[in-house]
Amino acid sequence: MTDLSAADHDQPHDLVGIGIGPFNLSLAALADGVHGGLAAAFFEQRPAFHWHPGLLLDGATLQVPFLADLVTLVDPASPWSFLSYLRACDRLYPFYFAERFHIRRGEYDAYCRWVSEQLPGLHFGHQVDAVRWNPERALFEVDFTQLDKDGEVEALGRAYTRNVALGIGTEPHVPEPLKLLVDTPAVPVIHSADYLAHRERILDAEHITVVGSGQSGAEVFLDLLRARPAGAEKLHWLARTEAFAPMEYSKLGLEHFTPDYVSYFHALPEHVRDELVPRQWQLHKGIDSDTIAAIHDELYRRTLHGGWPDAVLTPGVLVRTAGRVGATRLELHLEHAQQSGRSRLTTDAVVLATGYRERPLGRLLAGLDPYMRLDKSQRPRVDDRYRLMLDPSVTGSVYVQNAERHTHGVGTPDLGLAAWRGATILNSLTGTEPYPLPRRTAFTSFGLDGQEKHRQVPVPRGLVPLSEVR
C-alpha cells in the first residue's frame, strides 16, 4: 500500500480514481504511459487487488481472449500488457507452447495483481467516503479514510483533483425472496461470489440447489456435480430463462462488444436503449458452449451403467418466496412461467448465481446531487466520453466505468472494452490524443447512417496543461 503524504493531499491531482478493479487498473496503467506525466492517484478500500476470488475455480477460463488485458487493444507495446507480465515471470515460452487464446481466470487475477503491485499511484487500504465540488477552488474534494491491515481506521484525509474516475464496480444481486435467508447460521444460502469460501460447507449439505442460468451458475453446478457420488448427486439447478442457453459467441455477434456498437447504442433514444438491453441477455448472460458440453458429458457419463443421475435441471422457473423448514432446511416456492403452475422444493443449501448489479452512486456522490443531470428514470446521464453530465458551473469531469449500461449498452462490463474506454477517458481528460483510437472496429453497420467516423476529442473545460503539472 502506498501512503499519501501531506503534500500529496494539498497538491491538486489531474485525476483521482475511486476503486481499483480491472477497469480503473486499466485506466491507471494507461495514465502511467501519458507523455509528459499525469498527476493521478487511485484509491481502493481493500488491502490488495483481488478479482472475483470466490469464482476462481480450477480450470475456469476468461470468456475473452488474453488480448483483452488492461492495455493491449490500445497500446500493445505497454509495459503493463499480459505478455509483459509473462516475460517478467519468465513464462513466455511455456505460454507460447500452451497455445491458449483464452487464459485461466486465476492467471488473469495474478496478472492484474502483478500490475497493481508495481504501478505507481495506487493506494490500497483507502476508503473513499465522499466526493464534493469546491466552486472556490474549482476542484473536486475527495474525502477518504485510511485503513490499517485489519480494516480499522488509521487516519482521515482529503485529496483535491480536477477530474474523478469512478470504478467502484458491481455488487452481488440477491433476489428479494431470499434476502432474509442469506448468511443464516443454520442453513447455507450464499451468493456465487462467495462460493469457494463456503464450498466445503455447501458440499456437506444433503441436497443442494443452484439458482441462476448464467456462466457462474453453470460453473458452480458443474463443480458440485463432479464432487458428488454417482447416483447420489441430489442437485437441483433452477433458472428463470426459458432454456440453459449458450452465450452468443459468433464472430458477428461479438461485434456488439466493439466501440462502433457502443457509439451506435449511445446515440439511440433513451426508451429504445431501455427496451433493447433486456432483449440482448444472451450476449452476456448465456453459458459458454464448452461449459454446457462439459455438464452434459458429466451427466451422460453417469448413465453408462444404467440409471440416471439424481440431478434436476429446470429452466423457466421463478422463486416466488422462500422460508425455513425446521432448523436446517429451506423451502423454495416455485412458479413455472409457461405452465403457470406452482410447486415447492425442499433443500439443504442454496447457491445464488443471480448476477451482479451496479453499485448505487448516491451515497458517494451525494455532494454532487445539485449538479447532476438525470434521465427520465432518474439515472445519471452519461455522455459519449463517459462523463457524468453535470451543471456547466462544474469545470471538472466525473468519468464512470461499469456504471453506464443504460447509456452505453451490454459491452459496459466487458473486459474487451476496458482499454478502449480508458483511452477514451484519457483523450478527453488531456484534450489531446495520447492514445489514437481506431476509426472502425466492426464490419457491421448498425444504423442506416453507415459507419460513424472517429471524432476529434474536444478539449475539456478548465484543464491545466500537462507541462504545468508539478
Side-chain angles (χ1 to χ4, degrees), residues 168-376:
I168 59 176
T170 55
E171 59 186 4
H173 170 66
V174 177
E176 196 65 39
L178 290 152
K179 282 185 176 179
L180 294 178
L181 299 175
V182 171
D183 296 326
T184 53
V187 185
V189 180
I190 61 123
H191 193 275
S192 58
D194 301 315
Y195 173 67
L196 283 181
H198 297 272
R199 182 176 182 271
E200 295 308 315
R201 184 185 177 203
I202 295 292
L203 282 171
D204 285 341
E206 182 177 356
H207 183 276
I208 307 170
T209 300
V210 178
V211 180
S213 63
Q215 183 67 20
S216 297
E219 289 178 355
V220 168
F221 179 79
L222 178 60
D223 184 67
L224 292 171
L225 180 62
R226 286 171 168 167
R228 306 284 270 193
E233 294 85 0
K234 295 188 177 180
L235 296 174
H236 208 127
W237 186 13
L238 304 173
R240 292 186 62 176
T241 55
E242 296 179 352
F244 295 102
M247 186 173 294
E248 168 56 68
Y249 208 72
S250 66
K251 289 179 171 56
L252 290 179
L254 289 175
E255 291 195 340
H256 287 85
F257 300 96
T258 59
D260 284 359
Y261 184 75
V262 172
S263 297
Y264 162 78
F265 184 90
H266 187 272
L268 293 173
E270 179 184 328
H271 73 278
V272 176
R273 296 197 303 252
D274 288 345
E275 292 169 359
L276 189 54
V277 168
R279 299 205 305 264
Q280 296 177 323
W281 67 271
Q282 218 168 326
L283 288 170
H284 61 107
K285 291 184 178 181
I287 306 170
D288 174 75
S289 58
D290 289 341
T291 307
I292 292 177
I295 290 171
H296 191 275
D297 288 348
E298 184 65 29
L299 292 169
Y300 176 73
R301 185 182 67 81
R302 291 166 185 248
T303 68
L304 295 182
H305 302 293
W308 286 64
D310 186 8
V312 181
L313 291 69
T314 311
V317 172
L318 171 69
V319 179
R320 295 178 55 251
T321 59
R324 297 187 189 183
V325 178
T328 61
R329 308 204 80 192
L330 292 174
E331 186 174 81
L332 307 181
H333 296 195
L334 311 178
E335 180 175 352
H336 195 281
Q338 294 175 355
Q339 293 179 327
S340 299
R342 296 182 178 181
S343 65
R344 299 178 181 181
L345 172 65
T346 302
T347 190
D348 301 289
V350 177
V351 180
L352 299 171
T354 47
Y356 298 79
R357 297 290 186 273
E358 294 172 358
R359 295 186 191 276
L361 304 178
R363 180 188 64 82
L364 192 61
L365 298 185
L368 297 179
D369 280 350
Y371 306 99
M372 197 84 72
R373 297 293 180 258
L374 305 178
D375 66 14
K376 293 178 181 178

Side-chain angles (χ1 to χ4, degrees), residues 85-162:
Y85 159 72
L86 291 177
R87 181 179 62 182
C89 299
D90 199 19
R91 296 177 58 228
L92 262 177
Y93 268 92
F95 180 75
Y96 166 56
F97 291 120
E99 297 183 338
R100 292 190 181 277
F101 201 48
H102 290 79
I103 62 175
R104 299 289 172 87
R105 206 174 289 164
E107 187 169 26
Y108 177 79
D109 177 62
Y111 153 65
C112 288
R113 195 159 52 251
W114 172 78
V115 174
S116 72
E117 290 169 353
Q118 299 187 73
L119 194 65
L122 305 187
H123 307 281
F124 291 93
H126 285 65
Q127 172 186 293
V128 172
D129 304 308
V131 178
R132 290 181 303 277
W133 176 248
N134 186 323
E136 286 76 25
R137 297 189 64 171
L139 294 169
F140 292 103
E141 298 176 345
V142 179
D143 291 343
F144 62 85
T145 301
Q146 188 171 331
L147 308 173
D148 64 20
K149 61 181 181 179
D150 298 318
E152 299 297 326
V153 175
E154 197 170 66
L156 301 178
R158 176 176 295 169
Y160 295 92
T161 181
R162 300 177 182 91

